[in-house]
Amino acid sequence: MSYNNILLEVHDQILTVTINRPKQLNALNTETISELSLVIKEAQENADVKVIVLTGSGDKAFVAGADIKEFAGFTIDQGKALSAEGHNKLFNAVEECSKPIIAAVNGFALGGGLELAMSCHMRVASTNAKMGLPEVSLGVIPGYGGTQRLPQLVGKGKANELIFTAQMIGADEALSLGLVNYSVAPEELMDKCFEIAKKIKNNSSSAISCAIKAVNAQFKEGEDGFEEEIKQFGNCFATDDFKEGTSAFMERRKADFK
Ligand code: DAK
């Protein structure tokens, strides 16, 4: 399937998803949100994909936010409806994706762009990245999970500061706050993401998908993370990967997960 705003490339079981609206600094319009949501759904069904790397086209931006030109005229009800739709369609779908998603933050990641990066399972930023939630400078609040995921990653006090001041921070500060996993030179960004992806893809995909559910459960209202861990731990025992992993250990060989 081809997309108007997304480029896809699979190499060595790693799918690179590039948001491709460089003239608009890859701002998320509704079409791009719908396309990304489809890409995530299809990637989960594609047995050739084990890990996903998400980035932005060009050397200036990951995603410079939701498309301001599109939401400028919304009413209260439209704002609420679109926020709920975006949460379900894309941001929660990214967070709950059964395959790990690494955000390669290659420039501006603002507003909805940082919210998208924060939905991913981990983030690597290049040293030219600028991250922030500038929504209050536009008279709105973060509407795609930013008020929830930023405190989860950096703590409530720092999240409040970043949201209330609308300030942007660089990759090194983001690293010191725990907002990103690594800060690397721009030319090393994709290699660093692929290095992590390669380490992940040698492990059991079914166990990783169970781990994603267990880790996410801690942050979901009405769910008990420990209970989910127990449930997912039990589920692992029914998988071929568990049989292969334990057999390989006992036979002193490297596991070959299908
Ligand atoms: N939306 C649309 N176009 C954008 C954009 C954005 N977020 N960011 C940049 N562009 C466009 C610019 O308009 C410009 O287009 P042309 O004028 O050339 O046609 C082009 O990209 C290049 O941008 P600049 O000329 O401004 O480039 P600079 O290097 O000078 O500045 C910048 C880069 C990133 C500092 C600047 O572009 C900027 O401040 N951009 C806006 C950043 C921002 O405030 N982002 C939005 C955050 S608020 C919602 C849920 C969530 C949200 C909204 C609604 N609902 C449920 C309804 C989330 C809101 C946000 O994300």
Side-chain angles (χ1 to χ4, degrees):
M1 185 156 175
S2 73
Y3 297 95
N4 291 330
N5 307 298
I6 313 277
L7 302 174
L8 299 176
E9 195 183 338
V10 186
H11 180 67
D12 202 14
Q13 297 177 305
I14 301 165
L15 170 68
T16 302
V17 178
T18 305
I19 299 165
N20 189 33
R21 300 184 77 217
K23 285 190 187 142
Q24 294 81 21
L25 302 187
N26 304 318
L28 292 177
N29 58 359
T30 37
E31 187 183 44
T32 307
I33 290 178
S34 295
E35 289 187 353
L36 272 173
S37 145
L38 266 179
V39 164
I40 299 304
K41 192 168 176 282
E42 286 179 2
Q44 291 185 94
E45 290 157 6
N46 184 347
D48 292 334
V49 172
K50 282 200 159 187
V51 185
I52 300 160
V53 176
L54 175 63
T55 194
S57 178
D59 53 10
K60 209 170 158 185
F62 172 73
V63 170
D67 193 316
I68 299 174
K69 290 158 197 162
E70 212 174 49
F71 71 77
F74 283 173
T75 63
I76 294 177
D77 287 341
Q78 282 174 312
K80 262 166 100 173
L82 274 149
S83 177
E85 192 190 335
H87 275 274
N88 293 331
K89 220 173 167 179
L90 180 61
F91 296 80
N92 292 348
V94 167
E95 185 169 69
E96 288 162 15
C97 180
S98 58
K99 299 180 181 179
I101 308 183
I102 304 169
V105 182
N106 58 320
F108 290 110
L110 302 174
L114 182 57
E115 290 173 304
L116 180 61
M118 290 193 295
S119 304
C120 294
H121 301 109
M122 55 199 94
R123 287 146 292 284
V124 180
S126 58
T127 46
N128 64 329
K130 291 269 177 243
M131 286 157 269
L133 293 178
E135 281 87 343
V136 298
S137 71
L138 295 167
V140 288
I141 66 166
Y144 286 138
T147 63
Q148 306 305 301
R149 293 192 179 101
L150 188 60
Q152 286 166 10
L153 289 164
V154 306
K156 187 174 169 186
K158 201 67 204 180
N160 281 339
E161 182 186 337
L162 291 172
I163 293 168
F164 302 166
T165 62
Q167 83 186 85
M168 289 185 213
I169 59 169
D172 289 342
E173 187 174 354
L175 177 66
S176 72
L177 293 175
L179 179 55
V180 301
N181 299 50
Y182 296 94
S183 160
V184 297
E187 62 277 14
E188 289 166 14
L189 178 65
M190 295 312 284
D191 283 347
K192 184 70 197 175
C193 293
F194 295 142
E195 180 193 316
I196 301 168
K198 280 178 191 156
K199 284 184 191 162
I200 294 172
K201 82 181 182 66
N202 290 333
N203 295 318
S204 157
S205 295
S206 60
I208 288 170
S209 82
C210 290
I212 288 172
K213 286 187 189 133
V215 171
N216 282 346
Q218 184 188 354
F219 302 104
K220 283 204 186 135
E221 203 182 310
E223 284 194 26
D224 179 327
F226 289 101
E227 282 302 323
E228 187 63 24
E229 183 184 273
I230 291 165
K231 182 176 144 198
Q232 294 302 331
F233 182 74
N235 286 346
C236 293
F237 286 78
T239 64
D240 291 339
D241 280 3
F242 171 72
K243 289 185 197 96
E244 168 59 14
T246 47
S247 306
F249 176 78
M250 288 183 288
E251 292 160 18
R252 294 180 177 273
R253 62 175 172 82
K254 213 165 164 282
D256 179 18
F257 297 113
K258 298 294 180 216

PDB file of all heavy atoms in Angstrom, residues 177-211:
ATOM      1  N   LEU A 177      17.024  14.319  31.657  1.00  0.00           N
ATOM      2  CA  LEU A 177      15.696  14.206  32.301  1.00  0.00           C
ATOM      3  C   LEU A 177      15.083  12.819  32.138  1.00  0.00           C
ATOM      4  O   LEU A 177      14.049  12.526  32.734  1.00  0.00           O
ATOM      5  CB  LEU A 177      14.730  15.220  31.669  1.00  0.00           C
ATOM      6  CG  LEU A 177      15.014  16.701  31.902  1.00  0.00           C
ATOM      7  CD1 LEU A 177      14.042  17.552  31.103  1.00  0.00           C
ATOM      8  CD2 LEU A 177      14.906  17.032  33.390  1.00  0.00           C
ATOM      9  N   GLY A 178      15.666  11.999  31.265  1.00  0.00           N
ATOM     10  CA  GLY A 178      15.068  10.679  31.003  1.00  0.00           C
ATOM     11  C   GLY A 178      14.005  10.716  29.918  1.00  0.00           C
ATOM     12  O   GLY A 178      13.279   9.744  29.702  1.00  0.00           O
ATOM     13  N   LEU A 179      13.918  11.856  29.234  1.00  0.00           N
ATOM     14  CA  LEU A 179      12.923  11.956  28.149  1.00  0.00           C
ATOM     15  C   LEU A 179      13.378  11.159  26.924  1.00  0.00           C
ATOM     16  O   LEU A 179      12.554  10.638  26.183  1.00  0.00           O
ATOM     17  CB  LEU A 179      12.721  13.438  27.798  1.00  0.00           C
ATOM     18  CG  LEU A 179      11.757  13.796  26.682  1.00  0.00           C
ATOM     19  CD1 LEU A 179      10.371  13.202  26.919  1.00  0.00           C
ATOM     20  CD2 LEU A 179      11.640  15.318  26.545  1.00  0.00           C
ATOM     21  N   VAL A 180      14.689  11.106  26.704  1.00  0.00           N
ATOM     22  CA  VAL A 180      15.217  10.276  25.610  1.00  0.00           C
ATOM     23  C   VAL A 180      16.229   9.286  26.179  1.00  0.00           C
ATOM     24  O   VAL A 180      16.811   9.516  27.239  1.00  0.00           O
ATOM     25  CB  VAL A 180      15.874  11.130  24.480  1.00  0.00           C
ATOM     26  CG1 VAL A 180      14.880  12.105  23.884  1.00  0.00           C
ATOM     27  CG2 VAL A 180      17.128  11.853  24.953  1.00  0.00           C
ATOM     28  N   ASN A 181      16.440   8.201  25.438  1.00  0.00           N
ATOM     29  CA  ASN A 181      17.376   7.160  25.899  1.00  0.00           C
ATOM     30  C   ASN A 181      18.813   7.494  25.542  1.00  0.00           C
ATOM     31  O   ASN A 181      19.740   7.116  26.255  1.00  0.00           O
ATOM     32  CB  ASN A 181      17.029   5.812  25.269  1.00  0.00           C
ATOM     33  CG  ASN A 181      15.643   5.335  25.642  1.00  0.00           C
ATOM     34  OD1 ASN A 181      14.682   6.077  25.514  1.00  0.00           O
ATOM     35  ND2 ASN A 181      15.528   4.115  26.109  1.00  0.00           N
ATOM     36  N   TYR A 182      18.998   8.161  24.397  1.00  0.00           N
ATOM     37  CA  TYR A 182      20.342   8.519  23.941  1.00  0.00           C
ATOM     38  C   TYR A 182      20.288   9.857  23.224  1.00  0.00           C
ATOM     39  O   TYR A 182      19.274  10.205  22.619  1.00  0.00           O
ATOM     40  CB  TYR A 182      20.906   7.474  22.949  1.00  0.00           C
ATOM     41  CG  TYR A 182      21.093   6.110  23.566  1.00  0.00           C
ATOM     42  CD1 TYR A 182      20.097   5.143  23.459  1.00  0.00           C
ATOM     43  CD2 TYR A 182      22.252   5.792  24.269  1.00  0.00           C
ATOM     44  CE1 TYR A 182      20.248   3.892  24.037  1.00  0.00           C
ATOM     45  CE2 TYR A 182      22.406   4.536  24.851  1.00  0.00           C
ATOM     46  CZ  TYR A 182      21.405   3.596  24.735  1.00  0.00           C
ATOM     47  OH  TYR A 182      21.553   2.358  25.306  1.00  0.00           O
ATOM     48  N   SER A 183      21.429  10.570  23.284  1.00  0.00           N
ATOM     49  CA  SER A 183      21.611  11.780  22.488  1.00  0.00           C
ATOM     50  C   SER A 183      22.861  11.537  21.640  1.00  0.00           C
ATOM     51  O   SER A 183      23.928  11.239  22.186  1.00  0.00           O
ATOM     52  CB  SER A 183      21.817  12.965  23.442  1.00  0.00           C
ATOM     53  OG  SER A 183      22.439  14.035  22.785  1.00  0.00           O
ATOM     54  N   VAL A 184      22.710  11.597  20.331  1.00  0.00           N
ATOM     55  CA  VAL A 184      23.836  11.266  19.454  1.00  0.00           C
ATOM     56  C   VAL A 184      23.965  12.305  18.339  1.00  0.00           C
ATOM     57  O   VAL A 184      23.013  13.048  18.065  1.00  0.00           O
ATOM     58  CB  VAL A 184      23.661   9.857  18.804  1.00  0.00           C
ATOM     59  CG1 VAL A 184      23.630   8.751  19.838  1.00  0.00           C
ATOM     60  CG2 VAL A 184      22.410   9.799  17.939  1.00  0.00           C
ATOM     61  N   ALA A 185      25.127  12.318  17.696  1.00  0.00           N
ATOM     62  CA  ALA A 185      25.335  13.244  16.575  1.00  0.00           C
ATOM     63  C   ALA A 185      24.331  12.915  15.463  1.00  0.00           C
ATOM     64  O   ALA A 185      23.972  11.740  15.284  1.00  0.00           O
ATOM     65  CB  ALA A 185      26.759  13.097  16.047  1.00  0.00           C
ATOM     66  N   PRO A 186      23.871  13.937  14.714  1.00  0.00           N
ATOM     67  CA  PRO A 186      22.860  13.692  13.680  1.00  0.00           C
ATOM     68  C   PRO A 186      23.216  12.552  12.724  1.00  0.00           C
ATOM     69  O   PRO A 186      22.370  11.728  12.387  1.00  0.00           O
ATOM     70  CB  PRO A 186      22.778  15.028  12.936  1.00  0.00           C
ATOM     71  CG  PRO A 186      23.218  16.037  13.935  1.00  0.00           C
ATOM     72  CD  PRO A 186      24.219  15.365  14.829  1.00  0.00           C
ATOM     73  N   GLU A 187      24.500  12.483  12.335  1.00  0.00           N
ATOM     74  CA  GLU A 187      24.886  11.444  11.360  1.00  0.00           C
ATOM     75  C   GLU A 187      24.895  10.047  11.974  1.00  0.00           C
ATOM     76  O   GLU A 187      24.970   9.051  11.260  1.00  0.00           O
ATOM     77  CB  GLU A 187      26.233  11.778  10.695  1.00  0.00           C
ATOM     78  CG  GLU A 187      27.437  11.854  11.614  1.00  0.00           C
ATOM     79  CD  GLU A 187      27.612  13.213  12.329  1.00  0.00           C
ATOM     80  OE1 GLU A 187      26.660  14.027  12.325  1.00  0.00           O
ATOM     81  OE2 GLU A 187      28.694  13.430  12.901  1.00  0.00           O
ATOM     82  N   GLU A 188      24.805   9.982  13.310  1.00  0.00           N
ATOM     83  CA  GLU A 188      24.810   8.661  13.970  1.00  0.00           C
ATOM     84  C   GLU A 188      23.407   8.211  14.392  1.00  0.00           C
ATOM     85  O   GLU A 188      23.233   7.115  14.917  1.00  0.00           O
ATOM     86  CB  GLU A 188      25.692   8.709  15.227  1.00  0.00           C
ATOM     87  CG  GLU A 188      27.176   8.813  14.903  1.00  0.00           C
ATOM     88  CD  GLU A 188      28.001   9.204  16.122  1.00  0.00           C
ATOM     89  OE1 GLU A 188      27.477   9.126  17.255  1.00  0.00           O
ATOM     90  OE2 GLU A 188      29.158   9.597  15.925  1.00  0.00           O
ATOM     91  N   LEU A 189      22.422   9.094  14.170  1.00  0.00           N
ATOM     92  CA  LEU A 189      21.088   8.833  14.723  1.00  0.00           C
ATOM     93  C   LEU A 189      20.477   7.510  14.255  1.00  0.00           C
ATOM     94  O   LEU A 189      20.073   6.670  15.066  1.00  0.00           O
ATOM     95  CB  LEU A 189      20.141   9.993  14.383  1.00  0.00           C
ATOM     96  CG  LEU A 189      18.703   9.823  14.861  1.00  0.00           C
ATOM     97  CD1 LEU A 189      18.632   9.809  16.383  1.00  0.00           C
ATOM     98  CD2 LEU A 189      17.821  10.929  14.315  1.00  0.00           C
ATOM     99  N   MET A 190      20.413   7.319  12.940  1.00  0.00           N
ATOM    100  CA  MET A 190      19.740   6.117  12.443  1.00  0.00           C
ATOM    101  C   MET A 190      20.541   4.866  12.808  1.00  0.00           C
ATOM    102  O   MET A 190      19.960   3.835  13.166  1.00  0.00           O
ATOM    103  CB  MET A 190      19.494   6.207  10.934  1.00  0.00           C
ATOM    104  CG  MET A 190      18.526   7.311  10.534  1.00  0.00           C
ATOM    105  SD  MET A 190      16.992   7.355  11.484  1.00  0.00           S
ATOM    106  CE  MET A 190      16.081   5.995  10.770  1.00  0.00           C
ATOM    107  N   ASP A 191      21.876   4.970  12.741  1.00  0.00           N
ATOM    108  CA  ASP A 191      22.701   3.803  13.117  1.00  0.00           C
ATOM    109  C   ASP A 191      22.459   3.406  14.562  1.00  0.00           C
ATOM    110  O   ASP A 191      22.400   2.212  14.893  1.00  0.00           O
ATOM    111  CB  ASP A 191      24.193   4.116  12.919  1.00  0.00           C
ATOM    112  CG  ASP A 191      24.583   4.047  11.448  1.00  0.00           C
ATOM    113  OD1 ASP A 191      23.768   3.534  10.660  1.00  0.00           O
ATOM    114  OD2 ASP A 191      25.675   4.516  11.103  1.00  0.00           O
ATOM    115  N   LYS A 192      22.324   4.409  15.447  1.00  0.00           N
ATOM    116  CA  LYS A 192      22.080   4.090  16.867  1.00  0.00           C
ATOM    117  C   LYS A 192      20.728   3.377  17.016  1.00  0.00           C
ATOM    118  O   LYS A 192      20.603   2.397  17.754  1.00  0.00           O
ATOM    119  CB  LYS A 192      22.106   5.380  17.701  1.00  0.00           C
ATOM    120  CG  LYS A 192      21.963   5.150  19.186  1.00  0.00           C
ATOM    121  CD  LYS A 192      23.205   4.495  19.758  1.00  0.00           C
ATOM    122  CE  LYS A 192      22.972   3.877  21.107  1.00  0.00           C
ATOM    123  NZ  LYS A 192      24.147   3.138  21.593  1.00  0.00           N
ATOM    124  N   CYS A 193      19.726   3.884  16.284  1.00  0.00           N
ATOM    125  CA  CYS A 193      18.397   3.239  16.361  1.00  0.00           C
ATOM    126  C   CYS A 193      18.467   1.811  15.819  1.00  0.00           C
ATOM    127  O   CYS A 193      17.886   0.893  16.413  1.00  0.00           O
ATOM    128  CB  CYS A 193      17.370   4.042  15.564  1.00  0.00           C
ATOM    129  SG  CYS A 193      17.031   5.644  16.287  1.00  0.00           S
ATOM    130  N   PHE A 194      19.173   1.619  14.709  1.00  0.00           N
ATOM    131  CA  PHE A 194      19.281   0.269  14.136  1.00  0.00           C
ATOM    132  C   PHE A 194      20.073  -0.658  15.062  1.00  0.00           C
ATOM    133  O   PHE A 194      19.772  -1.846  15.167  1.00  0.00           O
ATOM    134  CB  PHE A 194      19.912   0.312  12.737  1.00  0.00           C
ATOM    135  CG  PHE A 194      19.073   1.036  11.710  1.00  0.00           C
ATOM    136  CD1 PHE A 194      19.645   1.844  10.742  1.00  0.00           C
ATOM    137  CD2 PHE A 194      17.685   0.915  11.718  1.00  0.00           C
ATOM    138  CE1 PHE A 194      18.866   2.514   9.809  1.00  0.00           C
ATOM    139  CE2 PHE A 194      16.897   1.579  10.784  1.00  0.00           C
ATOM    140  CZ  PHE A 194      17.486   2.381   9.831  1.00  0.00           C
ATOM    141  N   GLU A 195      21.070  -0.098  15.736  1.00  0.00           N
ATOM    142  CA  GLU A 195      21.860  -0.918  16.681  1.00  0.00           C
ATOM    143  C   GLU A 195      20.935  -1.445  17.797  1.00  0.00           C
ATOM    144  O   GLU A 195      20.981  -2.635  18.130  1.00  0.00           O
ATOM    145  CB  GLU A 195      22.961  -0.026  17.272  1.00  0.00           C
ATOM    146  CG  GLU A 195      23.882  -0.691  18.278  1.00  0.00           C
ATOM    147  CD  GLU A 195      24.716   0.364  19.030  1.00  0.00           C
ATOM    148  OE1 GLU A 195      25.252   1.301  18.406  1.00  0.00           O
ATOM    149  OE2 GLU A 195      24.785   0.240  20.263  1.00  0.00           O
ATOM    150  N   ILE A 196      20.088  -0.575  18.321  1.00  0.00           N
ATOM    151  CA  ILE A 196      19.149  -1.016  19.368  1.00  0.00           C
ATOM    152  C   ILE A 196      18.159  -2.025  18.781  1.00  0.00           C
ATOM    153  O   ILE A 196      17.876  -3.073  19.359  1.00  0.00           O
ATOM    154  CB  ILE A 196      18.380   0.190  19.965  1.00  0.00           C
ATOM    155  CG1 ILE A 196      19.345   1.207  20.569  1.00  0.00           C
ATOM    156  CG2 ILE A 196      17.363  -0.269  21.010  1.00  0.00           C
ATOM    157  CD1 ILE A 196      18.691   2.545  20.922  1.00  0.00           C
ATOM    158  N   ALA A 197      17.645  -1.683  17.579  1.00  0.00           N
ATOM    159  CA  ALA A 197      16.647  -2.556  16.937  1.00  0.00           C
ATOM    160  C   ALA A 197      17.214  -3.956  16.698  1.00  0.00           C
ATOM    161  O   ALA A 197      16.518  -4.959  16.885  1.00  0.00           O
ATOM    162  CB  ALA A 197      16.183  -1.935  15.623  1.00  0.00           C
ATOM    163  N   LYS A 198      18.482  -4.023  16.298  1.00  0.00           N
ATOM    164  CA  LYS A 198      19.093  -5.341  16.025  1.00  0.00           C
ATOM    165  C   LYS A 198      19.204  -6.162  17.297  1.00  0.00           C
ATOM    166  O   LYS A 198      18.976  -7.373  17.290  1.00  0.00           O
ATOM    167  CB  LYS A 198      20.469  -5.157  15.369  1.00  0.00           C
ATOM    168  CG  LYS A 198      20.342  -4.869  13.890  1.00  0.00           C
ATOM    169  CD  LYS A 198      21.687  -4.630  13.230  1.00  0.00           C
ATOM    170  CE  LYS A 198      21.470  -4.082  11.826  1.00  0.00           C
ATOM    171  NZ  LYS A 198      22.577  -3.321  11.318  1.00  0.00           N
ATOM    172  N   LYS A 199      19.549  -5.494  18.401  1.00  0.00           N
ATOM    173  CA  LYS A 199      19.622  -6.230  19.678  1.00  0.00           C
ATOM    174  C   LYS A 199      18.237  -6.767  20.049  1.00  0.00           C
ATOM    175  O   LYS A 199      18.099  -7.876  20.533  1.00  0.00           O
ATOM    176  CB  LYS A 199      20.112  -5.308  20.797  1.00  0.00           C
ATOM    177  CG  LYS A 199      21.592  -5.041  20.760  1.00  0.00           C
ATOM    178  CD  LYS A 199      21.993  -4.197  21.963  1.00  0.00           C
ATOM    179  CE  LYS A 199      23.411  -3.681  21.803  1.00  0.00           C
ATOM    180  NZ  LYS A 199      23.702  -2.556  22.680  1.00  0.00           N
ATOM    181  N   ILE A 200      17.217  -5.964  19.806  1.00  0.00           N
ATOM    182  CA  ILE A 200      15.849  -6.368  20.164  1.00  0.00           C
ATOM    183  C   ILE A 200      15.401  -7.548  19.298  1.00  0.00           C
ATOM    184  O   ILE A 200      14.817  -8.514  19.786  1.00  0.00           O
ATOM    185  CB  ILE A 200      14.869  -5.180  19.986  1.00  0.00           C
ATOM    186  CG1 ILE A 200      15.182  -4.064  20.984  1.00  0.00           C
ATOM    187  CG2 ILE A 200      13.421  -5.647  20.126  1.00  0.00           C
ATOM    188  CD1 ILE A 200      14.398  -2.778  20.745  1.00  0.00           C
ATOM    189  N   LYS A 201      15.678  -7.458  17.998  1.00  0.00           N
ATOM    190  CA  LYS A 201      15.064  -8.437  17.078  1.00  0.00           C
ATOM    191  C   LYS A 201      15.633  -9.845  17.236  1.00  0.00           C
ATOM    192  O   LYS A 201      15.030 -10.800  16.785  1.00  0.00           O
ATOM    193  CB  LYS A 201      15.131  -7.949  15.633  1.00  0.00           C
ATOM    194  CG  LYS A 201      16.427  -8.181  14.924  1.00  0.00           C
ATOM    195  CD  LYS A 201      16.375  -7.630  13.526  1.00  0.00           C
ATOM    196  CE  LYS A 201      17.668  -7.898  12.803  1.00  0.00           C
ATOM    197  NZ  LYS A 201      17.928  -9.326  12.557  1.00  0.00           N
ATOM    198  N   ASN A 202      16.775  -9.982  17.912  1.00  0.00           N
ATOM    199  CA  ASN A 202      17.302 -11.324  18.170  1.00  0.00           C
ATOM    200  C   ASN A 202      16.567 -12.015  19.320  1.00  0.00           C
ATOM    201  O   ASN A 202      16.741 -13.204  19.539  1.00  0.00           O
ATOM    202  CB  ASN A 202      18.794 -11.256  18.509  1.00  0.00           C
ATOM    203  CG  ASN A 202      19.597 -10.871  17.287  1.00  0.00           C
ATOM    204  OD1 ASN A 202      19.181 -11.139  16.169  1.00  0.00           O
ATOM    205  ND2 ASN A 202      20.728 -10.222  17.489  1.00  0.00           N
ATOM    206  N   ASN A 203      15.796 -11.259  20.061  1.00  0.00           N
ATOM    207  CA  ASN A 203      15.062 -11.830  21.198  1.00  0.00           C
ATOM    208  C   ASN A 203      13.663 -12.274  20.779  1.00  0.00           C
ATOM    209  O   ASN A 203      13.252 -12.070  19.645  1.00  0.00           O
ATOM    210  CB  ASN A 203      15.011 -10.810  22.336  1.00  0.00           C
ATOM    211  CG  ASN A 203      16.405 -10.539  22.884  1.00  0.00           C
ATOM    212  OD1 ASN A 203      17.194 -11.472  23.054  1.00  0.00           O
ATOM    213  ND2 ASN A 203      16.720  -9.281  23.131  1.00  0.00           N
ATOM    214  N   SER A 204      12.976 -12.861  21.718  1.00  0.00           N
ATOM    215  CA  SER A 204      11.661 -13.423  21.415  1.00  0.00           C
ATOM    216  C   SER A 204      10.614 -12.325  21.199  1.00  0.00           C
ATOM    217  O   SER A 204      10.324 -11.547  22.112  1.00  0.00           O
ATOM    218  CB  SER A 204      11.227 -14.321  22.572  1.00  0.00           C
ATOM    219  OG  SER A 204       9.827 -14.451  22.585  1.00  0.00           O
ATOM    220  N   SER A 205      10.045 -12.281  19.991  1.00  0.00           N
ATOM    221  CA  SER A 205       9.016 -11.270  19.699  1.00  0.00           C
ATOM    222  C   SER A 205       7.784 -11.467  20.566  1.00  0.00           C
ATOM    223  O   SER A 205       7.154 -10.496  21.007  1.00  0.00           O
ATOM    224  CB  SER A 205       8.581 -11.360  18.242  1.00  0.00           C
ATOM    225  OG  SER A 205       9.642 -11.040  17.411  1.00  0.00           O
ATOM    226  N   SER A 206       7.422 -12.743  20.815  1.00  0.00           N
ATOM    227  CA  SER A 206       6.208 -12.961  21.616  1.00  0.00           C
ATOM    228  C   SER A 206       6.439 -12.514  23.053  1.00  0.00           C
ATOM    229  O   SER A 206       5.572 -11.897  23.675  1.00  0.00           O
ATOM    230  CB  SER A 206       5.756 -14.424  21.547  1.00  0.00           C
ATOM    231  OG  SER A 206       6.761 -15.282  22.031  1.00  0.00           O
ATOM    232  N   ALA A 207       7.651 -12.762  23.590  1.00  0.00           N
ATOM    233  CA  ALA A 207       7.931 -12.307  24.964  1.00  0.00           C
ATOM    234  C   ALA A 207       7.956 -10.783  25.023  1.00  0.00           C
ATOM    235  O   ALA A 207       7.444 -10.173  25.975  1.00  0.00           O
ATOM    236  CB  ALA A 207       9.266 -12.879  25.438  1.00  0.00           C
ATOM    237  N   ILE A 208       8.521 -10.150  23.987  1.00  0.00           N
ATOM    238  CA  ILE A 208       8.570  -8.676  23.990  1.00  0.00           C
ATOM    239  C   ILE A 208       7.164  -8.091  23.954  1.00  0.00           C
ATOM    240  O   ILE A 208       6.854  -7.126  24.652  1.00  0.00           O
ATOM    241  CB  ILE A 208       9.437  -8.165  22.812  1.00  0.00           C
ATOM    242  CG1 ILE A 208      10.914  -8.471  23.126  1.00  0.00           C
ATOM    243  CG2 ILE A 208       9.247  -6.667  22.590  1.00  0.00           C
ATOM    244  CD1 ILE A 208      11.858  -8.249  21.962  1.00  0.00           C
ATOM    245  N   SER A 209       6.279  -8.711  23.165  1.00  0.00           N
ATOM    246  CA  SER A 209       4.914  -8.164  23.109  1.00  0.00           C
ATOM    247  C   SER A 209       4.210  -8.334  24.459  1.00  0.00           C
ATOM    248  O   SER A 209       3.436  -7.475  24.885  1.00  0.00           O
ATOM    249  CB  SER A 209       4.123  -8.765  21.958  1.00  0.00           C
ATOM    250  OG  SER A 209       3.598 -10.010  22.309  1.00  0.00           O
ATOM    251  N   CYS A 210       4.513  -9.417  25.175  1.00  0.00           N
ATOM    252  CA  CYS A 210       3.949  -9.592  26.525  1.00  0.00           C
ATOM    253  C   CYS A 210       4.527  -8.541  27.473  1.00  0.00           C
ATOM    254  O   CYS A 210       3.816  -7.974  28.314  1.00  0.00           O
ATOM    255  CB  CYS A 210       4.267 -10.985  27.081  1.00  0.00           C
ATOM    256  SG  CYS A 210       3.385 -12.303  26.239  1.00  0.00           S
ATOM    257  N   ALA A 211       5.835  -8.259  27.324  1.00  0.00           N
ATOM    258  CA  ALA A 211       6.479  -7.251  28.188  1.00  0.00           C
ATOM    259  C   ALA A 211       5.871  -5.866  27.944  1.00  0.00           C
ATOM    260  O   ALA A 211       5.656  -5.091  28.889  1.00  0.00           O
ATOM    261  CB  ALA A 211       7.980  -7.232  27.929  1.00  0.00           C
TER     262      ALA A 211
END
